[in-house]
Amino acid sequence: MLIRRRLALFAALAALVAGLVACGSSEDKDTLTMYSGRIAPILSPAVKLYEDASGLKVKTRYGDSPSLAATLTEEGKNSPADLFFAQDAGSLDAVEKKGLLMKLPADVLAKVPKQYQSTGGFWVGTTGRSRVIAYGEQVRESDLPDSPLKLTDTKWKGRVGWAPTNASMQGYITALRLVEGEDVAKKWLEGMVANDVQVYDSNIPIRDAIAKKEIDLGLINHYYVAEAQAENPNYPVKVHFPPKDLGSLINTAGVAVLASSDNKEQALAFVREMLSDEAQKYFADSSKEYPLVSTVQAPKELTPIDEIPAPEIDLAKLGDLQGTLTLMRETGAL
Amino acid sequence: MDAAAAGRALGRRLPAARVFGLRRPPFILLGLGLLVGLAAALPALYLVVAVFDDAGAALDSVLTDRTLGLITRSLGLALAVTASAVAIAVPLAWLTVRSDLPGRRVWATLLTLPLVIPSYIGAYLFVSALGPRGALADLLGVRLPSIYGFTGAFLVLTLFTYPLVLIPLRGALQRIDPSLEEAARVMGRSHREVFRSVVMPQLAPAIGAGSVLVALYVLSDFGAVSIMRFNSFTRDIYIAYQSGFGRTEAAALGLVLVLVMLVLFTVSARVRAARALHRVTPGAPRPAQPVALGRWRWPALTFCGAVATVALVLPVGVLLYWATKQISSGLELGALATNSWHSLLAAAAAALAASLGAIVVALLSVRYPSFVTRIVERAGYAGYALPGIVVALALVFFTTRVALPLYQTLAVLVFALAIHYLPLAVSPIGASLVQVPPRLEEAARGLGRSPMAVLRTITTPLVASGVLGGAALVFLHALKELPATLLLAPIGFETLATDVWHQTSFGFYEASAIPALLLLLIAAPPLYLLSAKGSVAS
């Protein structure tokens, strides 16, 4: 009977699917689990270096760093994560404050300058990046503001792009609160919203929007422009390091091992891999970030890191994400 | 909703139905039914628990001008989209059913298809085509006004939701008895007057039903509003959740959105229940004589062509164009295959789970109507009344706090998709069940079979086509679901939908074209199955 057969088919499919769901959810012992605030296009080649060297697999959950920091906090000791790779120091600091990170051994910490790691040694910076104002070639250099605080000027109305959900942007605002005070930060955020700042998901679309002349300026990290310039020397977007106020804050992407990981040795091996010459060279050459390990040279075309007009700031104190997010929601920036 | 109506009708015929009804359902069936009902109501219930856990903070974050703004904006968008969807669907329905438009059938199919394009794909196609620096601006060499915000969300949602009105409207037009109109014509009314005074009132229920679907779609849509940067409820909930430390706020906002949707749901149910329309002549309805369009033929064709071009041909064309560009620059076949497989797996598992649950619910509500089974049936609709993002949010809370071993497993994603789309399977199964004469079952009982044996040997085979239809519908919806999949997919479990989403969030439009096309391709067979059965409308 046709209906019989159909029913049998249905039942067979059912069994197949149920079986697959069961296998799909089984845990693999030879894998590391990582939460990454860095986007896949940039991070996955570096992850591959580790996978090839160790023979292990890394499963990565991608998201915004602060969101992942909150997830780690919520999961606490039950987190499936072994590693946390963040786009900014603040997200790492927030997780460190909850006591969820493992202290890293001295040989790992020794590879990176002190200002780019946690005071207690719970996370280590992997690469440096500067917060810049990217601008389109249609903007005259003499018109560029000497401080990001001046972007609230009506002359820039509707011409500036930012990515308020992005960790680097939020870290920048945390630093602004720390250096200039709550009131200045609040006024700036309100001013930006009132000035019709254009909202994007992340840095790349901002850069591309400038290139297409949809907007004129954008608050992004330096390497997004450097990367595009490496591919196309005539790329119509340039980088401006504003010298005043918070100026061109240098933040660091960094990595940490979760204290709850049951695979700490392999997780540490991953951290070491990220600080190896090979990985540091990848970050420097391909994604145009500043390597933090002294044996690797920064890309020649980048402004040397010590010539960037960046404020002195303790990156390990940028963990008050909650305060920043609350302020951003209050002011309508988020 | 047929199952509900049938259940109510039977309930009325049995005024003495007590709490468990006159016909007591088999114990196992009732137990299963309660389990399904509980499962479907779980997200809603747990959301309430989570919010009341921290009621002070939740109230603080919800009782603000901001929330009021969100409600106004979201409802405003829903209203505007619904109105324009009706404005597009009414002429299209009339043209494809009642006029002598050349190629009516082909037009009918083409004009229904935009429904398959997920709103997030539609939205980024629009941005790339009509954005301030999009393809059209390049072509014209000018800078276009910004499409972001209300305008963009409104345009995209209208174009991809009007079929939700068109489908029931076409059905209603086909069922209308032409003798009423003929009578009015004989009495000397003009075509236009007849349409206004005789046809429109008969179409009102279909328009109403379609409008509610559109409004609910808009209120729970996440993809289009996010890409168009229109700050609606769902986008705000997502941002509150993503920004991490405001998760109680996200849950509280979710609950407010649910209340808004429930109000809409109840109002629409009242309106529909109040109207009952019947044919006046017995027997099968006669098809109406097609109206000759005459010189209106070309404008009518242009109109149909314009809608089909903007809502279907251009989107698919742009996707194909990008896909060829992407293919020439190299493909990651491995990732594409894995993601397709993930999409298939999650959607198939959800379709299976939902149809199993739906069989239980439909059986209880159609065959054993009572107070208890009505509660089970209502609970079955709970998941559908919640937007995907709210279902997911509640399940994240639930698994991290109560059911930790299940956290970040595929099972939770499948569970979420299944309860979210359960009603889509209940309707066709209930409808086919209504057509199975209970006497057959009673005869089998009389000959000594146990109730479960009757269920297995008599009822199930007879409703098989309804089950397949329901499963296909759930599969289609689960396949393109985005926000719940984003929140609940296990680590490393990328589906075609999330792949499209991630690629577009980096602005990699060309790279997103192939997964988008694969998504449409996988949707084609079940869609064909459904349209062959004529039940896409559900």
Side-chain angles (χ1 to χ4, degrees), chain A residues 49-315:
Chain A
L49 289 177
Y50 167 79
E51 287 180 335
D52 290 347
S54 67
L56 269 74
K57 291 290 281 178
V58 181
K59 281 200 305 185
T60 312
R61 179 176 207 92
Y62 292 99
D64 286 319
S65 306
S67 165
L68 293 170
T71 304
L72 285 169
T73 309
E74 201 163 286
E75 292 168 354
K77 292 190 170 31
N78 298 311
S79 176
D82 300 300
L83 289 156
F84 179 33
F85 208 134
Q87 202 191 9
D88 66 320
S91 300
L92 288 160
D93 186 42
V95 182
E96 178 188 333
K97 287 213 174 81
K98 299 285 176 189
L100 295 173
L101 299 182
M102 183 191 102
K103 201 168 163 57
L104 297 172
D107 69 295
V108 171
L109 296 171
K111 293 197 83 169
V112 171
K114 278 269 177 275
Q115 71 262 37
Y116 299 121
Q117 54 178 264
S118 129
T119 324
F122 288 92
W123 53 263
V124 61
T126 51
T127 48
R129 62 272 299 290
S130 176
R131 208 54 202 167
V132 299
I133 296 179
Y135 65 100
E137 57 188 7
Q138 69 275 19
V139 182
R140 265 188 314 197
E141 268 175 60
S142 54
D143 282 346
L144 291 169
D146 57 4
S147 157
L149 295 185
K150 294 194 177 147
L151 291 176
T152 54
D153 191 307
T154 47
K155 124 170 143 183
W156 301 113
K157 197 171 179 72
R159 297 171 63 189
V160 185
W162 74 0
T165 48
N166 188 272
S168 296
M169 189 69 228
Q170 293 174 356
Y172 189 68
I173 292 165
T174 311
L176 188 68
R177 291 168 55 218
L178 211 67
V179 174
E180 309 281 345
E182 291 289 330
D183 291 343
V184 174
K186 186 167 184 213
K187 265 183 78 178
W188 185 69
L189 287 173
E190 284 168 349
M192 290 297 282
V193 174
N195 216 13
D196 194 23
V197 61
Q198 300 291 303
V199 178
Y200 295 84
D201 268 348
S202 57
N203 289 294
I204 297 175
I206 296 181
R207 177 196 69 193
D208 295 349
I210 300 173
K212 282 191 291 181
K213 303 191 171 57
E214 199 174 303
I215 47 174
D216 295 318
L217 305 183
L219 284 165
I220 64 176
N221 293 334
H222 77 273
Y223 51 88
Y224 290 101
V225 176
E227 204 180 25
Q229 283 170 340
E231 266 182 44
N232 169 11
N234 299 320
Y235 195 69
V237 181
K238 306 207 160 18
V239 162
H240 169 57
F241 294 99
K244 288 221 177 123
D245 302 319
L246 195 54
S248 329
L249 174 76
I250 295 175
N251 206 328
T252 172
V255 62
V257 177
L258 273 296
S260 56
S261 161
D262 48 15
N263 214 348
K264 293 199 181 71
E265 273 316 301
Q266 286 303 335
L268 265 179
F270 179 88
V271 175
R272 288 198 173 92
E273 182 70 41
M274 291 304 110
L275 299 176
S276 71
D277 285 10
E278 203 183 2
Q280 290 280 306
K281 247 181 99 53
Y282 160 74
F283 284 122
D285 293 347
S286 296
S287 69
K288 306 292 174 194
E289 295 168 70
Y290 292 103
L292 294 182
V293 172
S294 57
T295 46
V296 179
Q297 295 291 313
K300 288 188 300 295
E301 65 271 29
L302 289 188
T303 308
I305 196 164
D306 43 14
E307 284 174 26
I308 295 175
E312 292 277 321
I313 187 167
D314 188 352
L315 291 176

Side-chain angles (χ1 to χ4, degrees), chain B residues 376-524:
Chain B
V376 168
E377 196 208 337
R378 291 279 155 85
Y381 279 87
Y384 200 54
L386 308 189
I389 185 151
V390 180
V391 172
L393 202 60
L395 287 175
V396 169
F397 277 121
F398 182 75
T399 47
T400 46
R401 293 181 192 177
V402 183
L404 199 68
L406 288 174
Y407 180 59
Q408 285 192 351
T409 59
L410 184 55
V412 177
L413 174 62
V414 170
F415 177 77
L417 294 173
I419 56 171
H420 189 32
Y421 296 122
L422 180 66
L424 293 180
V426 172
S427 293
I429 296 174
S432 61
L433 202 54
V434 171
Q435 289 161 356
V436 178
R439 283 198 199 138
L440 273 183
E441 296 169 6
E442 282 155 17
R445 283 281 282 145
L447 291 170
R449 296 252 171 118
S450 73
M452 286 313 276
V454 171
L455 184 62
R456 207 180 58 242
T457 55
I458 310 288
T459 320
T460 316
L462 288 176
V463 298
S465 79
V467 174
L468 269 181
L473 260 183
V474 175
F475 179 86
L476 270 181
H477 282 79
L479 190 67
K480 61 179 193 170
E481 204 286 338
L482 180 68
T485 312
L486 276 178
L487 257 60
L488 295 176
I491 300 168
F493 191 87
E494 186 102 54
T495 68
L496 292 172
T498 59
D499 191 19
V500 169
W501 174 254
H502 288 135
Q503 303 286 3
T504 53
S505 78
F506 304 140
F508 297 168
Y509 291 135
E510 279 149 25
S512 71
I514 296 200
L517 282 171
L518 281 172
L519 203 62
L520 298 185
L521 206 67
I522 295 179

Side-chain angles (χ1 to χ4, degrees), chain B residues 156-490:
Chain B
V156 168
L157 286 169
T158 300
L159 278 173
F160 297 105
T161 58
Y162 79 83
L164 289 171
V165 187
L166 179 63
I167 295 165
L169 203 51
R170 276 177 46 84
L173 263 175
Q174 278 158 347
R175 282 192 304 269
I176 283 186
D177 193 330
S179 53
L180 280 175
E181 290 160 64
E182 286 156 10
R185 284 285 288 153
V186 169
M187 308 283 206
R189 300 256 180 123
S190 72
H191 269 304
R192 195 163 302 177
E193 279 171 350
V194 170
F195 188 78
R196 199 176 45 80
S197 61
V198 179
V199 180
M200 271 313 265
Q202 299 191 74
L203 294 183
I207 293 180
S211 302
V212 172
L213 288 181
V214 173
L216 290 176
Y217 186 107
V218 173
L219 281 180
S220 54
D221 174 70
F222 165 74
V225 292
S226 296
I227 290 175
M228 289 300 179
R229 307 180 204 153
F230 177 73
N231 211 2
S232 75
F233 240 114
T234 44
R235 179 165 184 249
D236 203 63
I237 291 170
Y238 186 71
I239 287 177
Y241 172 78
Q242 281 299 315
S243 59
F245 296 93
R247 290 191 174 169
T248 311
E249 185 186 341
L253 283 173
L255 215 53
V256 176
L257 176 56
V258 171
L259 287 180
V260 172
M261 291 186 59
L262 275 182
V263 169
L264 197 69
F265 223 58
T266 323
V267 170
S268 73
R270 285 276 153 80
V271 172
R272 256 177 304 166
R275 306 194 77 109
L277 294 157
H278 306 281
R279 292 199 297 118
V280 286
T281 42
R286 207 153 38 80
Q289 199 63 34
V291 175
L293 285 171
R295 62 197 167 92
W296 286 102
R297 189 172 174 174
W298 289 107
L301 275 175
T302 314
F303 177 61
C304 292
V307 175
T309 307
V310 180
L312 187 70
V313 179
L314 275 183
V316 175
V318 173
L319 282 179
L320 284 171
Y321 169 69
W322 279 341
T324 50
K325 273 177 86 173
Q326 181 69 16
I327 289 169
S328 63
S329 65
L331 282 185
E332 278 187 69
L333 284 177
L336 281 172
T338 317
N339 298 347
S340 309
W341 165 240
H342 286 165
S343 281
L344 260 174
L345 178 65
L352 176 75
S355 36
L356 290 179
I359 291 176
V360 174
V361 174
L363 265 177
L364 280 174
S365 66
V366 175
R367 284 286 183 266
Y368 306 97
S370 73
F371 180 68
V372 171
T373 56
R374 202 142 51 232
I375 290 184
V376 168
E377 196 208 337
R378 291 279 155 85
Y381 279 87
Y384 200 54
L386 308 189
I389 185 151
V390 180
V391 172
L393 202 60
L395 287 175
V396 169
F397 277 121
F398 182 75
T399 47
T400 46
R401 293 181 192 177
V402 183
L404 199 68
L406 288 174
Y407 180 59
Q408 285 192 351
T409 59
L410 184 55
V412 177
L413 174 62
V414 170
F415 177 77
L417 294 173
I419 56 171
H420 189 32
Y421 296 122
L422 180 66
L424 293 180
V426 172
S427 293
I429 296 174
S432 61
L433 202 54
V434 171
Q435 289 161 356
V436 178
R439 283 198 199 138
L440 273 183
E441 296 169 6
E442 282 155 17
R445 283 281 282 145
L447 291 170
R449 296 252 171 118
S450 73
M452 286 313 276
V454 171
L455 184 62
R456 207 180 58 242
T457 55
I458 310 288
T459 320
T460 316
L462 288 176
V463 298
S465 79
V467 174
L468 269 181
L473 260 183
V474 175
F475 179 86
L476 270 181
H477 282 79
L479 190 67
K480 61 179 193 170
E481 204 286 338
L482 180 68
T485 312
L486 276 178
L487 257 60
L488 295 176

Side-chain angles (χ1 to χ4, degrees), chain B residues 2-164:
Chain B
D2 300 331
R8 274 197 296 278
L10 276 173
R12 268 200 295 279
R13 245 189 286 144
L14 301 168
R18 286 155 303 164
V19 176
F20 285 103
L22 281 184
R23 293 180 63 194
R24 194 173 288 250
F27 185 70
I28 304 177
L29 189 63
L30 187 65
L32 284 174
L34 290 175
L35 218 61
V36 173
L38 192 68
L42 180 75
L45 294 177
Y46 198 73
L47 205 59
V48 176
V49 173
V51 168
F52 278 82
D53 214 26
D54 197 358
L59 272 181
D60 278 352
S61 61
V62 161
L63 295 178
T64 56
D65 290 352
R66 182 197 182 88
T67 312
L68 202 63
L70 284 175
I71 295 181
T72 327
R73 267 199 303 277
S74 293
L75 281 179
L77 181 69
L79 203 71
V81 171
T82 309
S84 56
V86 170
I88 294 182
V90 171
L92 287 181
W94 187 83
L95 285 171
T96 53
V97 176
R98 290 310 260 309
S99 77
D100 65 346
L101 185 79
R104 284 190 290 167
R105 298 214 161 175
V106 179
W107 284 119
T109 314
L110 284 181
L111 291 165
T112 317
L113 278 177
L115 194 56
V116 203
I117 299 176
S119 70
Y120 46 90
I121 295 181
Y124 82 70
L125 288 171
F126 261 72
V127 169
S128 68
L130 300 180
R133 290 286 165 180
L136 185 66
D138 279 354
L139 210 67
L140 301 175
V142 295
R143 188 194 171 104
L144 292 173
S146 172
I147 190 182
Y148 296 113
F150 183 86
T151 326
F154 166 76
L155 277 177
V156 168
L157 286 169
T158 300
L159 278 173
F160 297 105
T161 58
Y162 79 83
L164 289 171

